[in-house]
Amino acid sequence: MDFNDILPAYDRVADHWAATRNRTLFERGALSAALDGQTGAAVLDLGCGAGLPIARWFTDQGCAVTGVDGSKRMLDLFRGNLPDARAVLADMRGLSLGQRFDVIVAWDSFFHLSREAQRAMFPVFKAHVAPGARLVLTTGPGDSEAMGRVGEEPVIHASLSPDAYRALFAAHGFEVLWFRPDDAEFHGHSVWLAQRSGGIA
């Protein structure tokens, strides 16, 4: 298993993943903080999976959601669950939609990229954010690489150090609003909330 095996693995387990995905919306605190009271926000969900519960929550708030996933089966499920949302079959690495968003979410997806690919995602984030846009990102709590499982499929995770992420955010014009490692409210996830500066450079 390496990082290039992730998308085929999720294609194979998409139905199992969708059936067993936690839908209690323990993520709500981070999603609400990202939305920050906006109405009609344009939201980019990177690694959207089947769209439940995160993309559905945003659509319920009146947001215009674009879901991006590199797994065709996942995106088929997303379209079935959110027929009015935009669905894009694409690998987030090198994504270029020609649109800027008010919120970007990469929950339990970004950490499936290699360390090098994670670093290369920051220009992608920057290219897709409007002034003042917020970004929610889950990573590991520290520099690490580990194996996990989704259904019967092994999956790999990687993370940089918090200092490395802070440097990347700063270099690409984001202010870190908070980082909550291994947070109990988020069921042990390590979650970043960052905001793009007012101008686009």
Side-chain angles (χ1 to χ4, degrees), residues 26-27 29-31 106-108 135-141 176 178-183 185-194:
F26 65 85
E27 309 94 340
L31 307 182
W107 192 281
D108 285 358
L135 169 63
V136 173
L137 197 61
T138 55
T139 67
V176 174
W178 45 254
F179 173 51
R180 293 167 55 175
D182 292 333
D183 193 276
E185 177 185 342
F186 301 133
H187 287 205
H189 287 70
S190 297
V191 185
W192 296 86
L193 178 66

Side-chain angles (χ1 to χ4, degrees), residues 1-3 5-6 9-10 12-13 16-17 111-112 144-158:
M1 159 64 68
D2 69 23
F3 293 99
D5 297 325
I6 290 293
Y10 272 102
R12 292 189 291 270
V13 300
H16 168 83
W17 181 93
F111 63 13
H112 284 311
S144 64
E145 188 170 305
M147 294 297 300
R149 299 193 76 81
V150 176
E152 297 300 314
E153 293 286 340
V155 290
I156 193 167
H157 307 80

Side-chain angles (χ1 to χ4, degrees), residues 2-4 6-7 46 91-95 106 109-125 137 139 145 156-160 165 168 172:
D2 69 23
F3 293 99
N4 291 319
I6 290 293
L7 293 178
L46 293 174
D91 188 324
M92 71 173 75
R93 295 171 292 187
L95 187 70
S109 56
F110 174 81
F111 63 13
H112 284 311
L113 303 180
S114 69
R115 291 178 179 86
E116 294 78 10
Q118 289 186 24
R119 292 180 181 277
M121 277 300 300
F122 280 80
V124 176
F125 295 145
L137 197 61
T139 67
E145 188 170 305
I156 193 167
H157 307 80
S159 184
L160 305 175
Y165 286 126
L168 285 162
H172 293 87

Side-chain angles (χ1 to χ4, degrees), residues 55-141:
R56 170 66 57 79
W57 183 85
F58 279 113
T59 61
D60 287 346
Q61 312 312 306
C63 300
V65 174
T66 296
V68 172
D69 209 289
S71 160
K72 182 180 183 302
R73 179 57 187 155
M74 282 289 195
L75 211 65
D76 288 343
L77 295 170
F78 178 93
R79 290 188 177 104
N81 289 325
L82 290 95
D84 295 328
R86 179 187 179 196
V88 178
L89 179 63
D91 188 324
M92 71 173 75
R93 295 171 292 187
L95 187 70
S96 181
L97 295 178
Q99 180 182 351
R100 296 188 185 272
F101 296 84
D102 303 303
V103 176
I104 297 180
V105 180
W107 192 281
D108 285 358
S109 56
F110 174 81
F111 63 13
H112 284 311
L113 303 180
S114 69
R115 291 178 179 86
E116 294 78 10
Q118 289 186 24
R119 292 180 181 277
M121 277 300 300
F122 280 80
V124 176
F125 295 145
K126 181 177 178 180
H128 289 87
V129 289
R134 291 190 172 188
L135 169 63
V136 173
L137 197 61
T138 55
T139 67

Side-chain angles (χ1 to χ4, degrees), residues 18-33:
T20 59
R21 170 65 160 91
N22 185 313
R23 299 186 189 180
T24 62
L25 264 176
F26 65 85
E27 309 94 340
R28 187 194 306 268
L31 307 182
S32 296

